[in-house]
Amino acid sequence: MVTPRRFLSDKLCPVRAKRERRKEARPGELIAAALDLFVEKGFAATRAEEVAARAGVSKGTLFLYFKNKEELFKAVVTENLSGRFTEWNKEFEVFEGSTSDMLRYCMRVWWERVGSTKASGLTKLLMSEGSNFPTLAEFYRQEVVRPGHALVRRILHRGIDSGEFAPVDVDHAIYAVIAPMMFLMLWQHSTPMCIDGQAVLDPETFIAVQTEIVLRGLSARPSA
Amino acid sequence: MVTPRRFLSDKLCPVRAKRERRKEARPGELIAAALDLFVEKGFAATRAEEVAARAGVSKGTLFLYFKNKEELFKAVVTENLSGRFTEWNKEFEVFEGSTSDMLRYCMRVWWERVGSTKASGLTKLLMSEGSNFPTLAEFYRQEVVRPGHALVRRILHRGIDSGEFAPVDVDHAIYAVIAPMMFLMLWQHSTPMCIDGQAVLDPETFIAVQTEIVLRGLSARPSA
Amino acid sequence: MVTPRRFLSDKLCPVRAKRERRKEARPGELIAAALDLFVEKGFAATRAEEVAARAGVSKGTLFLYFKNKEELFKAVVTENLSGRFTEWNKEFEVFEGSTSDMLRYCMRVWWERVGSTKASGLTKLLMSEGSNFPTLAEFYRQEVVRPGHALVRRILHRGIDSGEFAPVDVDHAIYAVIAPMMFLMLWQHSTPMCIDGQAVLDPETFIAVQTEIVLRGLSARPSA
Amino acid sequence: MVTPRRFLSDKLCPVRAKRERRKEARPGELIAAALDLFVEKGFAATRAEEVAARAGVSKGTLFLYFKNKEELFKAVVTENLSGRFTEWNKEFEVFEGSTSDMLRYCMRVWWERVGSTKASGLTKLLMSEGSNFPTLAEFYRQEVVRPGHALVRRILHRGIDSGEFAPVDVDHAIYAVIAPMMFLMLWQHSTPMCIDGQAVLDPETFIAVQTEIVLRGLSARPSA
DNA sequence: CATGAATGAGGTTTCATTCAT
DNA sequence: CATGAATGAAACCTCATTCAT
């Protein structure tokens, strides 16, 4: 993220200047702190100063790295969600095996890398506060929803093309795949709603079961 | 929408001054306006003055009827959610028929009277902002979650006692019933997340399908 | 500025409620305080809270009457400068006498009602800070410069049409009239530049002398 | 623009390292950049970092050469205005010819070396912001106003002593000489006030005309 | 009862200045 | 010498809540 102009002298001086190391680490630390707080309290209720404090810097420093709170939020989304789609797209390009396995793999990987992490809270945040912050909502749609849908769409097309899946309206079928993910994300970040905080839903089982249901629904050969 | 406590006396004295009737209607109008705005923008982002304006009164009047914003919110919850449990409990006490039908009826009635109304936005609100307003979260748990769970628990016990349902851990099974409701409420109030606002999920079908799935899961006689 | 809804009851109660009287007086008090401070310190250096304090109210009250600092400034300009042009235009429409006398009258009246008052500081302010606040500069151009030029232009045209003035390029001649005004305004508000604050320039003499010079310059009959 | 104090040694050692020359040029480059920005935006609105950037150095470097923004401003004034008085004083000491010609020369030279340059913006700046920065105002009075007045005063005394000028109160007459200069400086840096930015006033003509007017006014022999 | 003027704590953002490297 | 990361005081503006009328 930062152009390391001192590459040569760094070689000569392997113990990089502490200050400079911090400088490169700062954006990441701030983004991490912001992710925590945004997920915990929402966008509006998170105070810039608190993010800075959690990252161990002062108020002013935050604005040294991010023009304003919205840009900070966008960076959080980019770092934790949209930035990963290129990697995922590549994985799926080289995937060999049935499309059913591909979808299973997709769901599992999503759970491991997003659903079960704090990043899933960002989705909930957008659902709650999106209408109050149209800029953020639009950014999220462009950077996360659109590529996410595209990824799922590709899988569905692959299945249909190969004859594994019945030919359905892909644009609608997408939601059958995404709905369980959405639900899990919401559920996870709404535990305060459960009395006594009982953990009742086993997410991995839920994902597995829902995946099979969806697959059966999509299958070209109707289950007997 | 507001329980008219003086209904009878109104009948006896039909010429009651219009102004006085307005006076009695005030809290209800404020609650209705508040419901709209809370659901639309969330608790924190809703300004007291806007609620008052939508109810056609001045800012000061709002605080005449409700000590503060939190009390207003509690009134909204009471009026739209918790206040209805007594009525529902009664309905279910006199219900005759199989427990499966009872559950089907429960789900349908919930959808008609809550799920499809603005009141369902309150649940989403609590999920989003609950952690920022512990008092409200606690109030909601006591007034809505607890009686809601109790209602479902009673249905499940009835089914188990009658042999219709397999004997399961009721405290956990509750969530199987509630989860689809929760999901629908969240989904409904998060449409901005969908690209192009495609309406994809038919709520009534969703409820029906999920109900049958749950019933099959609960059934004492394993589906062949 | 405020619709007095209580006209009748005011009649019955001639000692208007103190609070309400204040309410109607507030904008004016705030504008007066703002004029003082803007002229004294400039736009950027004047703090909103200080304006409020000088008007005897708190920070928040200022923003009750003016959306933001720029709107406050615009109100100050409107109240003290642009609002007066309609009155002036009328005066000049009914003016009888030579155009030379009309111009003399114009200059004298300008000095009495603007040049010698704090309002003249606004012009200096715009000259200094206009480029930092393009919105304000544009507003001032539309609301003050344009009608001011129009007024002078009309006088010049009248003189030319009547044969008193030589036919000149009016758009340029305007500046011959305005320049002495501008200079006086700047001079007045820049006294700190004079050592020991010696008052050296007698404004009324200056205006009179400059007026005659301009008149001689405009005259149709060349001075012998 | 910067007085190269090491000029001679540079000649003796032409191969002096470029970096060192830069080092000596720094203050001058910073002062030049600061002049530009101060004149363009004013003192308060000019950001230290922007000055540094325009001079091609980092923020820290600026404060290496100038203790703070005020000292930087003083250096700008010294370099562009007060530093020149010694040179001018010398020129006038050796001036031969009538005092009228001396005054004409003075005005012309002032226009060429100050009035028409960016330095003239400093005067406008002080007029606008002087009251917000008393230290700077005082500095300017001591370093520019005082020697400027002294210069003019000497010319007037010379004329009176030689019988060319009528014996007048010199302290007041000074302003007759200075006023046109001030006006031009203000006018020049306030173009945004003109509608459509019409250039109307030809400065050199203005200076020439005003000079003659002043001379006639000062002359010992009343114009016929 | 009803009003709406007034308050002031609290949040975001800017920028001169310092100082470790 | 030079850098630029870090600081924190200060300014603008919002809004829940109070209270005189």
Side-chain angles (χ1 to χ4, degrees):
Chain A
M1 199 154 274
V2 189
T3 331
R5 266 175 297 181
R6 294 227 212 153
F7 194 66
L8 263 180
S9 59
D10 278 356
K11 276 236 160 125
L12 296 174
C13 170
V15 185
R16 184 92 73 93
K18 220 187 291 176
R19 189 112 170 207
E20 192 160 343
R21 263 228 302 278
R22 300 298 320 244
K23 186 245 166 117
E24 282 170 24
R26 276 287 133 75
E29 293 166 8
L30 285 162
I31 286 173
L35 174 61
D36 277 17
L37 285 163
F38 282 148
V39 167
E40 186 184 330
K41 324 181 118 182
F43 180 75
T46 294
R47 287 175 325 184
E49 190 160 14
E50 205 175 353
V51 173
R54 186 170 296 202
V57 298
S58 77
K59 205 177 7 171
T61 303
L62 172 61
F63 292 97
L64 217 58
Y65 291 95
F66 304 96
K67 213 181 69 200
N68 51 39
K69 218 172 135 185
E70 293 216 342
E71 290 304 315
L72 171 62
F73 183 80
K74 289 182 184 175
V76 170
V77 169
T78 301
E79 193 72 27
N80 289 283
L81 293 176
S82 43
R84 315 202 156 176
F85 279 107
T86 50
E87 172 201 359
W88 292 339
N89 276 322
K90 257 182 225 143
E91 280 187 46
F92 285 103
E93 266 165 28
V94 301
F95 189 92
E96 294 179 0
S98 73
T99 306
S100 294
D101 283 347
M102 195 170 170
L103 191 64
R104 282 185 194 101
Y105 176 72
C106 174
M107 300 287 271
R108 191 157 38 82
V109 148
W110 168 84
W111 172 250
E112 281 163 14
R113 302 193 200 160
V114 175
S116 65
T117 72
K118 268 174 290 194
S120 60
L122 296 174
T123 301
K124 197 201 78 169
L125 189 158
L126 261 294
M127 288 189 163
S128 312
E129 299 187 78
S131 57
N132 293 130
F133 300 94
T135 318
L136 298 185
E138 183 54 28
F139 179 82
Y140 183 83
R141 268 194 293 273
Q142 293 305 326
E143 298 290 314
V144 181
V145 178
R146 185 187 291 276
H149 282 203
L151 195 61
V152 174
R153 186 179 290 112
R154 275 180 52 189
I155 297 176
L156 294 180
H157 275 304
R158 184 181 188 267
I160 293 170
D161 291 348
S162 73
E164 278 178 274
F165 295 167
V168 291
D169 177 346
V170 170
D171 284 329
H172 281 62
I174 283 174
Y175 288 92
V177 175
I178 285 171
M181 296 176 176
M182 302 269 301
F183 179 69
L184 259 194
M185 290 194 287
L186 292 164
W187 191 259
Q188 286 232 307
H189 297 279
S190 310
T191 33
M193 284 307 89
C194 308
I195 282 189
D196 313 322
Q198 309 173 28
V200 164
L201 207 66
D202 176 53
E204 312 207 7
T205 310
F206 180 83
I207 278 290
V209 169
Q210 293 293 329
T211 306
E212 294 313 314
I213 290 175
V214 168
L215 281 174
R216 207 185 312 162
L218 291 169
S219 172
R221 279 167 300 176
S223 48
Chain B
M1 199 157 274
V2 192
T3 331
R5 269 172 294 180
R6 293 228 211 155
F7 191 67
L8 264 179
S9 58
D10 278 355
K11 273 230 161 137
L12 294 174
C13 172
V15 287
R16 182 186 288 275
K18 217 191 288 178
R19 187 156 161 252
E20 191 162 346
R21 267 229 295 276
R22 294 288 322 234
K23 192 170 66 184
E24 284 171 21
R26 279 284 142 76
E29 290 165 1
L30 283 162
I31 286 172
L35 173 62
D36 276 17
L37 286 164
F38 283 147
V39 167
E40 186 184 331
K41 322 182 128 185
F43 178 75
T46 294
R47 288 180 330 191
E49 186 160 21
E50 208 175 350
V51 174
R54 186 170 296 204
V57 299
S58 75
K59 211 177 351 176
T61 305
L62 171 62
F63 289 95
L64 213 61
Y65 289 97
F66 304 96
K67 210 182 73 199
N68 53 35
K69 218 171 137 185
E70 294 215 341
E71 291 304 318
L72 170 63
F73 183 81
K74 289 182 184 174
V76 171
V77 169
T78 302
E79 193 71 30
N80 289 282
L81 294 176
S82 41
R84 313 197 157 183
F85 279 107
T86 49
E87 172 199 0
W88 292 338
N89 276 322
K90 258 181 226 145
E91 281 189 42
F92 286 103
E93 265 166 28
V94 301
F95 188 93
E96 295 180 358
S98 73
T99 307
S100 293
D101 283 346
M102 194 171 171
L103 190 63
R104 284 186 191 99
Y105 176 71
C106 172
M107 300 287 270
R108 189 156 41 80
V109 148
W110 167 83
W111 172 250
E112 281 163 13
R113 303 194 198 160
V114 175
S116 65
T117 73
K118 269 176 289 196
S120 61
L122 295 174
T123 301
K124 197 202 81 168
L125 191 157
L126 260 295
M127 286 189 166
S128 309
E129 300 187 79
S131 56
N132 293 134
F133 301 95
T135 318
L136 299 184
E138 184 53 29
F139 178 83
Y140 183 84
R141 268 194 292 273
Q142 293 307 325
E143 298 290 314
V144 182
V145 179
R146 183 188 293 276
H149 282 205
L151 196 60
V152 175
R153 186 178 291 111
R154 275 181 51 192
I155 298 176
L156 294 179
H157 274 306
R158 184 181 188 267
I160 292 168
D161 291 349
S162 73
E164 279 179 274
F165 295 168
V168 290
D169 176 346
V170 170
D171 284 329
H172 281 60
I174 284 173
Y175 288 94
V177 176
I178 285 171
M181 298 176 175
M182 304 269 301
F183 180 69
L184 258 193
M185 291 193 286
L186 291 163
W187 191 260
Q188 288 232 306
H189 297 277
S190 309
T191 32
M193 282 307 89
C194 307
I195 281 186
D196 311 323
Q198 307 173 28
V200 164
L201 207 66
D202 175 54
E204 313 208 7
T205 310
F206 180 83
I207 279 291
V209 170
Q210 292 294 328
T211 306
E212 295 311 314
I213 291 176
V214 170
L215 282 173
R216 206 185 314 161
L218 291 169
S219 171
R221 279 167 302 177
S223 50
Chain C
M1 199 154 271
V2 188
T3 331
R5 265 173 297 179
R6 293 226 212 154
F7 193 67
L8 262 180
S9 59
D10 278 355
K11 276 234 163 126
L12 296 173
C13 169
V15 185
R16 182 94 72 93
K18 219 186 295 175
R19 189 112 169 208
E20 192 161 339
R21 262 228 301 280
R22 301 298 321 241
K23 186 247 168 116
E24 283 170 24
R26 275 289 134 74
E29 293 166 6
L30 285 162
I31 286 174
L35 174 62
D36 276 17
L37 285 163
F38 282 148
V39 167
E40 185 184 331
K41 325 182 116 180
F43 179 75
T46 295
R47 286 173 327 183
E49 190 161 14
E50 207 176 351
V51 173
R54 184 169 298 203
V57 298
S58 78
K59 204 175 12 172
T61 304
L62 171 62
F63 292 99
L64 216 58
Y65 291 95
F66 304 96
K67 213 182 69 198
N68 53 37
K69 217 172 136 186
E70 294 217 341
E71 291 304 318
L72 171 62
F73 183 80
K74 289 181 182 175
V76 170
V77 169
T78 301
E79 193 71 27
N80 290 282
L81 295 176
S82 41
R84 315 202 155 178
F85 279 107
T86 49
E87 173 200 358
W88 294 338
N89 276 321
K90 259 183 225 143
E91 281 186 44
F92 286 102
E93 266 164 29
V94 301
F95 189 91
E96 296 180 359
S98 72
T99 307
S100 293
D101 283 345
M102 193 171 173
L103 190 64
R104 284 187 192 99
Y105 176 72
C106 173
M107 300 287 271
R108 190 156 40 81
V109 147
W110 168 83
W111 172 251
E112 280 163 14
R113 302 193 199 159
V114 176
S116 65
T117 72
K118 268 175 290 193
S120 61
L122 295 173
T123 302
K124 197 202 79 168
L125 189 158
L126 260 294
M127 287 190 166
S128 311
E129 300 186 79
S131 58
N132 294 130
F133 301 94
T135 318
L136 298 185
E138 184 53 28
F139 179 82
Y140 183 84
R141 267 194 293 272
Q142 294 304 326
E143 298 289 314
V144 182
V145 178
R146 184 189 291 276
H149 282 205
L151 197 60
V152 174
R153 187 179 289 112
R154 275 181 50 189
I155 297 176
L156 295 179
H157 275 304
R158 185 179 187 271
I160 293 169
D161 291 348
S162 73
E164 280 178 276
F165 294 167
V168 292
D169 177 346
V170 170
D171 284 331
H172 281 62
I174 283 173
Y175 288 94
V177 176
I178 286 171
M181 298 176 174
M182 304 268 300
F183 180 68
L184 260 193
M185 289 193 288
L186 291 162
W187 190 261
Q188 288 233 305
H189 297 279
S190 308
T191 34
M193 284 305 91
C194 307
I195 281 187
D196 312 324
Q198 307 174 27
V200 164
L201 207 66
D202 175 52
E204 311 206 9
T205 309
F206 181 83
I207 279 290
V209 170
Q210 293 292 328
T211 306
E212 295 312 314
I213 291 176
V214 169
L215 282 175
R216 207 185 312 161
L218 291 170
S219 172
R221 280 169 300 176
S223 49
Chain D
M1 199 154 276
V2 191
T3 330
R5 269 171 295 183
R6 292 227 211 160
F7 193 67
L8 265 180
S9 60
D10 277 356
K11 273 230 161 139
L12 294 175
C13 174
V15 289
R16 182 186 288 275
K18 217 188 293 176
R19 187 160 160 249
E20 193 162 341
R21 269 228 293 277
R22 295 287 322 233
K23 191 171 67 187
E24 285 170 21
R26 281 284 143 75
E29 291 165 358
L30 284 163
I31 286 172
L35 174 63
D36 277 18
L37 287 163
F38 282 148
V39 167
E40 187 183 330
K41 320 182 129 182
F43 179 75
T46 293
R47 289 179 332 191
E49 187 161 19
E50 207 175 352
V51 173
R54 187 173 293 205
V57 300
S58 75
K59 212 178 351 180
T61 305
L62 171 63
F63 289 94
L64 213 60
Y65 288 99
F66 305 96
K67 211 182 74 197
N68 52 36
K69 217 173 140 185
E70 294 215 342
E71 291 304 317
L72 171 63
F73 184 80
K74 289 181 183 176
V76 171
V77 169
T78 302
E79 194 70 31
N80 290 282
L81 294 176
S82 43
R84 310 198 159 183
F85 280 107
T86 50
E87 174 199 359
W88 292 339
N89 276 322
K90 260 182 223 141
E91 280 187 46
F92 286 102
E93 266 165 27
V94 300
F95 189 91
E96 296 180 358
S98 73
T99 307
S100 293
D101 283 347
M102 194 171 172
L103 190 63
R104 284 187 192 99
Y105 176 72
C106 173
M107 301 286 272
R108 191 156 40 81
V109 148
W110 169 82
W111 173 251
E112 280 163 12
R113 303 194 198 158
V114 177
S116 65
T117 71
K118 269 174 289 193
S120 61
L122 295 174
T123 302
K124 197 202 81 166
L125 190 157
L126 261 294
M127 288 190 165
S128 313
E129 299 187 80
S131 58
N132 293 133
F133 301 95
T135 318
L136 298 185
E138 184 53 28
F139 178 82
Y140 183 83
R141 268 194 293 273
Q142 294 306 326
E143 298 290 315
V144 182
V145 178
R146 183 186 293 276
H149 282 204
L151 196 59
V152 175
R153 187 179 290 112
R154 274 180 52 190
I155 297 176
L156 294 180
H157 275 305
R158 184 181 186 268
I160 293 169
D161 291 348
S162 73
E164 279 179 275
F165 295 167
V168 292
D169 177 347
V170 171
D171 283 332
H172 281 61
I174 285 174
Y175 287 94
V177 176
I178 286 171
M181 297 176 176
M182 303 269 301
F183 180 68
L184 261 193
M185 291 194 287
L186 292 163
W187 191 261
Q188 287 229 305
H189 296 278
S190 308
T191 32
M193 282 307 90
C194 308
I195 281 186
D196 311 323
Q198 309 172 28
V200 163
L201 206 65
D202 176 52
E204 311 207 7
T205 309
F206 180 82
I207 279 291
V209 169
Q210 293 293 328
T211 306
E212 295 312 314
I213 290 175
V214 168
L215 281 175
R216 207 184 313 162
L218 290 170
S219 172
R221 280 167 300 177
S223 48

